[in-house]
Amino acid sequence: MEKEEVATGHTFFGMYDYLVVGAGLFGSVFAHEAALKGKKVMVIEKRDHIAGNIYTKEVEGIQVHEYGAHIFHTSDKEIWDYVTQFAEFNRYTNSPVANYKGEIYNLPFNMNTFNKLWGVVTPAEAQAKIDEQRAVLNSKIPENLEEQAISLVGTDIYEKLIKDYTEKQWGKPTTELPAFIIRRLPVRLTYDNNYFNDTYQGIPIGGYTQIVEKMLAHENIDVETGIDFFDKKGEYLKSFPKIVFTGMIDQFFDYEFGELEYRSLHFDTEILNVENYQGNAVVNYTDAETPYTRIIEHKHFEFGMQDKTIITKEYSKTWTRGDEPYYPVNNERNNHLYKEYQKLAAKQKNVIFGGRLGQYCYYDMHQVIAAALQCVKGEFGE
Ligand code: FAD
Ligand code: UDP
């Protein structure tokens, strides 16, 4: 037993510079960079594996995205260079299709979508159709997701491809959701089905888990899975000089001001004895009747040629305590409440809150890496 341990009764006292709570992308980038600076880091993770929501697992020779489709995309060369240190990426370009009651439309909203829906051929014809339909808004500045959607693509697309999908995904009327959510999707007057506008895009060959494995494979880092921070919160706070916390910020403060809202998911995965089930990696079901939001067919992320295939149906559900909180719901009420938690966080000098849950922010992977590297700069300088 260490000398300090005997003196304080705290198992880890004096052994580490940092405790990182959560072995997802934020925690792992931080741990990796801190280790490179010579710091000793303990990482704890409550799941039985590392990599958080980007975790992939090989089944039947196929990389299965266990927590939903993950496509890496960024326009920031620094972030692309950073992530490609840890894996080689393939040329996958995300181009999901929407299935509305058996009718198939290309996403994001582009000339292929407009042509299929309206028979228009030129960008000018498509724009005229959108302008005609958005007139229902009377030039009002969009204040919610419904108004923003109609203003971008008109009422037909809103009704067939946005309204029901969004209400299934978020469990709220589109009039009660923030406009920014729909602005994640490009709208283009070109025949281009690329879901992202970013310069760099792809899927790591061999899956995402290896990225986090490599980040954490350093002699200065110890990792323990199956450990929940809240089982020994008091002890951890006393034993580690600094903590990087990537779990839920409201839970950290024992929901003192009430719960932030999250959206949870349920994944239903099947191995099928067919070579090609749906012909695309991602198909969104945009009607209200289909209970799931999308089906992903994992082999298509890597152009797989296996005899079998693996599909996952993704169902969205209300989060209640104990469920996995996959999405923050960044509406006005929750953002306001989060600000109150941020004030508490500012007083907690030895704890850094990071990532989708710690910062209560609808971050994509490239944004999480950027936020973690920013945090590293804050700790260690350039
Ligand atoms: P997480 O990955 O959630 O990691 C946090 C970790 O902390 C988890 O492993 C959790 O178990 C652990 N933890 C929490 N509380 C505790 C505790 N009390 N004790 C111990 N451990 C704890 N991004 C993209 O760029 N492209 C995509 O295509 C994309 N698709 C997505 C699809 C879905 C369905 C979802 C949900 C997200 C998607 N994302 C995508 C976003 C991406 O998953 C996140 O940006 C990223 O994984 C967030 O990393 P993180 O470290 O902040 O959080
Ligand atoms: N969206 C939609 N129809 C679609 C795909 C997306 O209405 O077919 C809306 C929906 O509100 C969704 C948002 O666009 O929540 C953002 O979509 P994205 O694919 O970025 O969501 P994520 O992959 O993060 O769940």
Side-chain angles (χ1 to χ4, degrees), residues 69 94 96-99 107 109 145 149 157-158 160-167 169-170 174 177 180-185 195-196 265 284-286 293-294 314 327 356 362-364:
N94 198 28
V97 295
N99 181 325
L107 294 171
F109 313 117
L145 197 152
I157 290 182
Y158 169 67
K160 285 193 167 183
L161 304 184
I162 298 175
K163 184 175 188 295
D164 295 338
Y165 181 94
T166 298
E167 293 186 350
Q169 166 69 12
W170 296 100
T174 49
L177 286 164
F180 88 88
I181 291 179
I182 196 66
R183 290 200 300 268
R184 285 169 60 87
L185 272 53
Y195 203 60
F196 304 113
L265 299 171
N284 291 356
Y285 285 78
T286 60
T293 49
R294 47 192 170 188
E314 185 176 320
Y327 292 87
R356 231 188 207 207
Y362 191 179
Y363 277 145
D364 276 337

Side-chain angles (χ1 to χ4, degrees), residues 24-37 54 72 74-89 200 210-212 214-216 218 221 365-374 376-377 380:
L25 200 50
F26 190 100
S28 302
V29 168
F30 184 90
H32 180 75
E33 294 301 316
L36 293 181
K37 303 275 181 204
I54 70 171
F72 199 94
T74 181
S75 288
D76 186 334
K77 184 158 188 320
E78 219 178 290
I79 300 298
W80 182 247
D81 288 345
Y82 188 83
V83 75
T84 52
Q85 292 175 72
F86 302 102
E88 193 183 334
F89 279 64
Y200 310 101
Q210 61 174 324
I211 293 179
V212 174
K214 288 179 201 166
M215 285 176 178
L216 297 177
H218 192 286
I221 304 176
M365 290 179 277
H366 59 295
Q367 295 163 318
V368 168
I369 293 178
L373 292 176
Q374 193 58 40
V376 166
K377 272 187 195 157
F380 309 112

Side-chain angles (χ1 to χ4, degrees), residues 84-208:
T84 52
Q85 292 175 72
F86 302 102
E88 193 183 334
F89 279 64
N90 70 16
R91 61 152 187 86
Y92 179 80
T93 299
N94 198 28
S95 43
V97 295
N99 181 325
Y100 177 75
K101 302 185 181 187
E103 296 169 22
I104 295 293
Y105 295 94
N106 286 114
L107 294 171
F109 313 117
N110 73 86
M111 285 305 297
N112 291 305
T113 330
F114 307 141
N115 172 263
K116 177 90 186 256
L117 190 66
W118 297 319
V120 294
V121 171
T122 67
E125 286 167 0
Q127 189 63 59
K129 200 79 189 163
I130 293 171
D131 288 346
E132 178 194 311
Q133 297 199 349
R134 71 205 280 193
V136 295
L137 292 174
N138 287 321
S139 307
K140 181 169 185 271
I141 306 227
E143 279 174 11
N144 56 49
L145 197 152
E146 177 179 88
E147 291 172 2
Q148 180 68 80
I150 293 171
S151 148
L152 288 169
V153 288
T155 46
D156 286 347
I157 290 182
Y158 169 67
E159 291 295 338
K160 285 193 167 183
L161 304 184
I162 298 175
K163 184 175 188 295
D164 295 338
Y165 181 94
T166 298
E167 293 186 350
K168 278 196 288 191
Q169 166 69 12
W170 296 100
K172 287 185 193 298
T174 49
T175 46
E176 290 173 23
L177 286 164
F180 88 88
I181 291 179
I182 196 66
R183 290 200 300 268
R184 285 169 60 87
L185 272 53
V187 178
R188 295 191 192 106
L189 294 175
T190 52
Y191 288 92
D192 177 1
N193 296 327
N194 186 345
Y195 203 60
F196 304 113
N197 284 327
D198 286 320
T199 317
Y200 310 101
Q201 179 173 178
I203 304 273
I205 297 167
Y208 283 93

Side-chain angles (χ1 to χ4, degrees), residues 309-378:
T309 197
I310 301 180
I311 62 163
T312 300
K313 292 179 180 145
E314 185 176 320
Y315 298 79
S316 181
K317 59 178 197 139
T318 306
W319 174 87
T320 53
R321 286 190 202 189
D323 292 336
E324 285 291 343
Y326 290 99
Y327 292 87
V329 183
N330 286 117
N331 61 15
E332 224 171 281
R333 178 258 178 203
N334 293 317
N335 287 344
H336 181 77
L337 190 54
Y338 169 63
K339 285 213 167 75
E340 296 304 307
Y341 281 113
Q342 258 187 317
K343 286 181 201 158
L344 288 185
K347 288 187 207 147
Q348 195 86 41
K349 295 287 181 223
N350 59 339
V351 183
I352 296 170
F353 293 83
R356 231 188 207 207
L357 304 174
Q359 292 174 277
Y360 198 68
C361 182
Y362 191 179
Y363 277 145
D364 276 337
M365 290 179 277
H366 59 295
Q367 295 163 318
V368 168
I369 293 178
L373 292 176
Q374 193 58 40
C375 171
V376 166
K377 272 187 195 157

Side-chain angles (χ1 to χ4, degrees), residues 164-330:
D164 295 338
Y165 181 94
T166 298
E167 293 186 350
K168 278 196 288 191
Q169 166 69 12
W170 296 100
K172 287 185 193 298
T174 49
T175 46
E176 290 173 23
L177 286 164
F180 88 88
I181 291 179
I182 196 66
R183 290 200 300 268
R184 285 169 60 87
L185 272 53
V187 178
R188 295 191 192 106
L189 294 175
T190 52
Y191 288 92
D192 177 1
N193 296 327
N194 186 345
Y195 203 60
F196 304 113
N197 284 327
D198 286 320
T199 317
Y200 310 101
Q201 179 173 178
I203 304 273
I205 297 167
Y208 283 93
T209 305
Q210 61 174 324
I211 293 179
V212 174
E213 262 164 16
K214 288 179 201 166
M215 285 176 178
L216 297 177
H218 192 286
E219 59 180 6
N220 288 347
I221 304 176
D222 291 327
V223 182
E224 281 201 45
T225 55
I227 307 273
D228 190 328
F229 172 79
F230 293 106
D231 288 345
K232 286 188 185 167
K233 179 181 171 190
E235 181 181 327
Y236 291 131
L237 282 169
K238 284 186 200 139
S239 307
F240 289 86
K242 207 139 193 196
I243 294 178
V244 174
F245 180 81
T246 71
M248 294 153 60
I249 188 167
D250 54 348
Q251 186 182 14
F252 184 94
F253 293 109
D254 208 14
Y255 306 103
E256 194 172 320
F257 303 130
E259 284 173 4
L260 288 163
E261 245 179 307
Y262 300 89
R263 205 63 192 151
S264 195
L265 299 171
H266 164 72
F267 298 102
D268 188 2
T269 298
E270 296 166 67
I271 302 176
L272 303 178
N273 250 328
V274 296
E275 203 201 313
N276 184 3
Y277 173 75
Q278 63 181 13
N280 206 35
V282 184
V283 178
N284 291 356
Y285 285 78
T286 60
D287 64 295
E289 292 74 27
T290 308
Y292 39 87
T293 49
R294 47 192 170 188
I295 300 184
I296 62 176
E297 186 170 9
H298 301 268
K299 70 191 313 182
H300 296 309
F301 289 121
E302 292 193 298
F303 318 106
M305 302 294 283
Q306 299 84 353
D307 294 336
K308 293 184 185 176
T309 197
I310 301 180
I311 62 163
T312 300
K313 292 179 180 145
E314 185 176 320
Y315 298 79
S316 181
K317 59 178 197 139
T318 306
W319 174 87
T320 53
R321 286 190 202 189
D323 292 336
E324 285 291 343
Y326 290 99
Y327 292 87
V329 183
N330 286 117

